[in-house]
Amino acid sequence: MAKADAQETTVMQALAKWQKDHPDQKASEALEVNIFCQIPFIKKMDTSLSTLQKCEKLSLSTNQIKNIANLQGLKNLKILSLSRNHIASLNGLGPVRDTLEQLWISYNAIMKLAGIGVLRNLKVLYMCHNKVKDWVEFDRLSGLPLLEELLFHGNPLQKSMDKKTYRSEVTKRLPQLRKLDGKDDHMRLQCQHQFKRNVSLIHNLQNDV
């Protein structure tokens, strides 16, 4: 492995620190590993991540990572936290396409959502305060059939319109959402409630016939 720059922490070094702080656990056996906010910062997701074969939740937030990479060995990963880094692309998520349920990637530099569509089991996406500007990119989220919670505020697209228009457009594009920007989707819930009432009325009318 290449020698680390004096101004960065490698994943291997961060895992060694984690191991020292958790003497009763092996990183390779741990279900949750937090190596966020390293000093100096982690700048690369290197191949040392492949040792975390049983990890279900991995946090690499608050570092200086630019690219998502080397997730091949994380066969059980369900939650990935990469918030507050320098990430501009969602490429590199393919290896966790079958297991990842939550992606936390707020406060990065993401403009394009190409690469998100591989996450067919994703339920929660936190990506507020990125750089998504248009509905063309946002509409890539419609390829996530199980998505039910989204944090998106702070993106230029959201800031370009009033709150009512924004929520209406998001609901139209992602009707399955249960929660948007930390709030229950009242419009969707009202429609669902009304639908149930209509079904109940029809059922009662049929019984009266």
Side-chain angles (χ1 to χ4, degrees):
M1 181 178 292
K3 192 173 182 179
D5 188 296
Q7 298 303 313
E8 71 176 284
T9 299
T10 66
V11 171
M12 178 180 288
Q13 291 169 337
L15 289 176
K17 292 179 186 177
W18 184 94
Q19 190 68 73
K20 186 176 180 180
D21 292 337
H22 300 80
D24 297 330
Q25 284 191 77
K26 291 183 179 179
S28 60
E29 300 288 326
L31 300 182
E32 180 174 346
V33 176
N34 296 318
I35 48 176
F36 55 83
C37 197
Q38 297 294 301
I39 304 297
F41 294 119
I42 295 172
K43 295 184 178 181
K44 298 175 183 176
M45 296 173 65
D46 63 42
T47 54
S48 298
L49 290 172
S50 65
T51 62
L52 305 178
Q53 297 179 5
K54 294 190 177 181
C55 184
E56 295 183 359
K57 181 180 179 182
L58 172 63
S59 176
L60 287 154
S61 61
T62 316
N63 281 292
Q64 293 182 352
I65 296 166
K66 293 183 179 181
N67 298 300
I68 300 172
N70 292 305
L71 296 174
Q72 290 85 348
L74 284 81
K75 303 297 185 182
N76 296 291
L77 192 64
K78 295 181 179 180
I79 302 174
L80 175 60
S81 175
L82 290 167
S83 299
R84 298 182 185 275
N85 277 284
H86 297 166
I87 296 168
S89 168
L90 292 175
N91 292 326
L93 292 168
V96 293
R97 71 179 69 199
D98 295 326
T99 60
L100 200 68
E101 297 179 359
Q102 298 190 27
L103 177 60
W104 306 353
I105 200 158
S106 297
Y107 293 94
N108 276 284
I110 297 165
M111 294 179 63
K112 306 291 185 181
L113 298 181
I116 194 73
V118 300
L119 302 176
R120 305 296 291 176
N121 292 309
L122 196 70
K123 297 177 181 178
V124 175
L125 176 60
Y126 296 157
M127 61 165 303
C128 61
H129 297 282
N130 274 280
K131 297 185 178 182
V132 180
K133 297 179 179 180
D134 57 62
W135 290 114
V136 173
E137 289 304 318
F138 184 93
D139 285 343
R140 294 180 187 272
L141 300 181
S142 63
L144 304 174
L146 301 183
L147 187 65
E148 57 186 28
E149 183 173 348
L150 174 66
L151 276 182
F152 192 79
H153 62 85
N155 279 273
L157 177 61
Q158 177 268 323
K159 294 192 287 187
S160 70
M161 65 193 74
D162 63 82
K163 185 181 296 186
K164 184 176 180 180
T165 300
Y166 161 68
R167 295 190 70 86
S168 176
E169 288 294 326
V170 171
T171 299
K172 180 171 65 177
R173 287 170 162 81
L174 301 174
Q176 80 278 15
L177 276 187
R178 294 180 177 273
K179 186 174 287 189
L180 172 63
D181 294 336
K183 297 180 180 179
D184 290 336
D185 190 340
H186 295 297
M187 186 179 297
R188 185 196 64 79
L189 292 174
Q190 287 174 359
C191 290
Q192 187 180 67
H193 180 65
Q194 185 61 49
F195 175 76
K196 289 180 178 178
R197 285 186 61 189
N198 291 342
V199 170
S200 179
L201 286 171
I202 292 172
H203 181 71
N204 289 338
L205 287 172
Q206 289 174 338
N207 288 339
D208 291 340
V209 174

